[in-house]
Amino acid sequence: MMKVSVTTLSLQDLDVDLLIIPVGQSLARARAAQIGGPIGEALSTALIDFEGKPNETLICYPPTGRARRVAVIGLGDAGNIQREVLRKAAAAGYRVAMKTKATTVALCLPDAGIDSEAAGQSLVEGYMLAAYEFERYKTQPDDQKSKTERLVLHASRDEKSARRGAERGRVESEATITARDLVNLSPHEKTPVMLGKMVERFGRKHGYEVSVWDKGDIEKEKMGGLLGVNRGSVEPPALIEMTWKPTKAGNTKPVVLVGKGIVFDTGGLSLKPTKDSMDHMKADMAGAAAVIGAMEAIARLDVPLYVIGLIPVTDNRPGQNAYVPGDVLQMHSGMTVEVLNTDAEGRLILADALSYAKLYRPEIVIDLATLTGAQVVALGSQVAAVMTREDSGARERLDAILKAAAISGDLVHPMPMHAHYAEALKSDVADIKNIGNREAGSITAAKFLEYFVDYPWVHIDMAGPSFLKKSSAYRPVGGTGYGVRLLTEFIRDYAYPKKR
Ligand code: BES
Ligand code: MN
Ligand code: ZN
């Protein structure tokens, strides 16, 4: 793991392979003058044609001084620097470090335009998340590549806030990386039982409690949805329950996070085609990974809030005993569901977890799921769909999620939840069926889940942003860890409502 620290030493004294200086538009030359010394001198000539547009990059080599190279990265509008701009600038800085094979890197906080805590957090996030690589299955190390061993954040003011931000950025990035690793892991290494064992280990390491239900426990609770989906599998299902209950918690009713844990989705008997569909369905547990990562961040940041994580886990396969179209399942809630497509499995396992969550008398439940292809069609791979039960607190809940999205960069967009959408789920034989028609697929999936909740509830369909086929700024190809920072920022805001 990369070492992260904060320093207030003079820039001239930073002994690093690469010094990265983010600067706002048209401020570059003023910044060079302000820096002075050999670095400032080298910069002032190099910067003649540098404008400071977002991610514009310039590398120069000061003839004397400690830093071997200096990279200036543009931030655009200097008066109001957004967190996401800093994350992207840090990611651009990381790419310079890669190209120049720098292993010790200093990264400067901008001297105005954003508070030091937010700046410290965002820079560390952008850099660490850009530097992520999943190498578990590479048998030959790539010696063309260099790794950043030490990242030093340079703050010329507000050292304490910068340090706090940097620490939070490091914890949230590492928790995001936990989620990415889980998504990228080969399916044969994350069967439900194996995933349960991994989370038990994470719980011991980070200080939250874990209890893993086995198939017998799930049968006793009559979770017909989870058991139905699991029928085609040779691997038994699991239900993972994580608890973070600090003594100083401000709430007695928990905040519950539910994550879809389909460790592989073949579609079942309604089999998926391989290309561009089944081929990345190891990522169908990205909602679960987001909850696991968020529990890690919340525990490590010692957030004073009672939080429960709940993850139903199974794969979805066409085995000899697999559930079939036409099967009617009796769910944990007692409701019956006619299965008309075995590929609409996520809502079946989530429904059981959501209905079980009623027992906690939760203050709010947020579920995250790679639920529908329709979400990807509607919003693409950068933005998740958010839906909420339209009760009295709906507006506030949506606002809180939108705020957490703006802070974290894990973006969401609201979808409507009018009652008429539920009509598509009418079944001829059971209470409801598990698919709608071709229209509004993400919404009808959410409407399905809504039958199983009786508390304030937010649903996030993250099918698109969970997994990328092309890298983008600080998000690599493969698992993105989407949702970890969204949930963490939402929960922090919930725990410290007036401080921010
Ligand atoms: N896991 C998929 C959804 C998905 C699609 C996730 C693309 C990530 C990328 C889900 O289980 C599924 O198969 N949904 C079906 C539902 C349909 C049968 C009603 C879908 O969206 O096609
Ligand atoms: Mn499916
Ligand atoms: Zn699925």
Side-chain angles (χ1 to χ4, degrees):
M1 258 311 165
M2 191 184 303
K3 283 206 183 101
V4 180
S5 59
V6 174
T7 184
T8 52
L9 279 176
S10 149
L11 282 188
Q12 317 288 343
D13 292 333
L14 296 181
D15 184 9
V16 289
D17 297 331
L18 173 66
L19 168 63
I20 303 168
I21 310 177
V23 291
Q25 200 135 349
S26 66
L27 284 186
R29 305 208 65 201
R31 185 84 160 102
Q34 174 211 358
I35 291 168
I39 295 177
E41 247 164 65
L43 281 178
S44 56
T45 41
L47 283 171
I48 287 174
D49 293 323
F50 185 85
E51 289 177 58
K53 289 194 187 129
N55 298 332
E56 187 180 348
T57 303
L58 178 135
I59 308 174
C60 75
Y61 300 81
T64 58
R66 291 231 160 120
R68 262 75 74 199
R69 303 168 189 81
V70 179
V72 184
I73 315 263
L75 294 176
D77 179 10
N80 178 19
I81 300 170
Q82 300 294 314
R83 287 169 179 255
E84 187 70 358
V85 169
L86 284 186
R87 283 187 206 103
K88 288 182 172 160
Y94 169 73
R95 283 189 286 276
V96 175
M98 278 284 280
K99 209 167 82 189
T100 60
K101 295 198 177 8
T103 61
T104 54
V105 174
L107 187 48
C108 295
L109 263 68
D111 47 7
I114 182 169
D115 75 80
S116 301
E117 191 168 336
Q121 180 178 357
S122 310
L123 288 172
V124 170
E125 285 173 356
Y127 198 93
M128 288 186 76
L129 293 174
Y132 171 81
E133 269 181 82
F134 184 69
E135 290 172 320
R136 183 182 175 88
Y137 303 120
K138 298 279 186 195
T139 59
Q140 305 295 325
D142 183 347
D143 40 62
Q144 291 309 300
K145 282 191 178 156
S146 68
K147 278 207 165 49
T148 305
E149 286 157 14
R150 198 155 59 82
L151 176 67
V152 186
L153 228 59
H154 179 269
S156 48
R157 61 188 172 112
D158 310 335
E159 186 191 351
K160 258 189 155 166
S161 319
R163 214 175 277 286
R164 221 179 310 125
E167 176 59 11
R168 194 152 80 236
R170 187 178 66 87
V171 169
E172 290 196 32
S173 300
E174 286 176 1
T176 303
I177 286 169
T178 297
R180 288 180 178 179
D181 281 344
L182 287 171
V183 170
N184 291 333
L185 201 61
S186 168
H188 83 283
E189 291 200 278
K190 54 180 176 191
T191 65
V193 170
M194 287 173 178
L195 191 66
K197 293 227 165 81
M198 277 186 259
V199 176
E200 279 170 349
R201 243 192 303 116
F202 293 150
R204 279 196 294 277
K205 186 165 167 196
H206 303 304
Y208 59 82
E209 257 162 61
V210 179
S211 108
V212 180
W213 299 19
D214 63 17
K215 188 173 180 181
D217 301 325
I218 294 165
E219 282 167 347
K220 264 181 232 136
E221 274 296 328
K222 300 204 173 87
M223 295 191 161
L226 179 54
L227 290 165
V229 174
N230 182 251
R231 266 175 43 195
S233 179
V234 290
E235 299 290 343
L239 188 97
I240 306 174
E241 191 186 26
M242 292 162 271
T243 308
W244 169 248
K245 194 176 187 181
T247 44
K248 53 187 181 289
N251 56 335
T252 48
K253 297 157 111 194
V255 172
V256 180
L257 309 176
V258 177
K260 172 176 171 181
I262 293 289
V263 291
F264 195 83
D265 184 10
T266 66
L269 284 165
S270 312
L271 197 65
K272 286 182 186 294
T274 300
K275 195 175 169 328
D276 298 328
S277 179
M278 199 200 296
D279 50 6
H280 66 271
M281 278 303 138
K282 68 175 183 186
D284 212 16
M285 37 63 74
V291 171
I292 294 166
M295 292 302 291
E296 169 177 337
I298 291 159
R300 289 176 63 186
L301 295 172
D302 201 17
V303 177
L305 199 74
Y306 175 22
V307 184
I308 289 174
L310 199 59
I311 302 174
V313 200
T314 178
D315 52 7
N316 180 28
R317 284 185 196 249
Q320 280 189 317
N321 194 38
Y323 75 146
V324 298
D327 259 331
V328 175
L329 304 176
Q330 182 154 37
M331 308 292 283
H332 174 267
S333 74
M335 261 181 103
T336 55
V337 175
E338 181 187 13
V339 175
L340 285 178
N341 189 320
T342 63
D343 200 9
E345 84 297 338
R347 61 196 77 185
L348 296 170
I349 71 165
L350 284 170
D352 280 350
L354 289 172
S355 126
Y356 178 75
K358 291 176 191 166
L359 294 173
Y360 300 124
R361 309 233 154 273
E363 196 152 296
I364 181 170
V365 177
I366 305 177
D367 82 76
L368 287 95
T370 47
L371 204 59
T372 64
Q375 187 279 323
V376 196
V377 174
L379 299 175
S381 57
Q382 308 264 0
V383 180
V386 58
M387 284 146 273
T388 189
R389 202 166 161 238
E390 291 190 323
D391 50 22
S392 56
R395 191 72 253 165
E396 287 75 10
R397 285 199 295 280
L398 272 186
D399 285 347
I401 283 284
L402 286 166
K403 184 174 164 200
I407 289 175
S408 66
D410 284 346
L411 304 179
V412 298
H413 189 77
M415 300 274 214
M417 283 285 271
H418 304 291
H420 71 261
Y421 285 111
E423 286 161 22
L425 298 170
K426 280 191 180 137
S427 163
D428 295 334
V429 298
D431 295 335
I432 50 173
K433 57 182 169 139
N434 78 331
I435 52 168
N437 47 47
R438 287 165 47 84
E439 295 180 6
S442 309
I443 301 173
T444 52
K447 279 293 181 191
F448 180 93
L449 298 177
E450 198 177 25
Y451 279 104
F452 301 89
V453 305
D454 70 352
Y455 39 65
W457 167 66
V458 175
H459 163 61
I460 296 171
D461 189 338
M462 49 180 274
S466 61
F467 191 92
L468 294 184
K469 289 176 195 163
K470 255 182 71 188
S471 69
S472 147
Y474 58 92
R475 293 186 176 90
V477 169
T480 58
Y482 178 94
V484 173
R485 290 176 311 106
L486 176 71
L487 286 174
T488 306
E489 292 300 335
F490 176 86
I491 288 200
R492 275 178 38 75
D493 199 31
Y494 218 90
Y496 311 98
K498 286 188 201 79
K499 277 206 198 158
R500 318 174 65 194

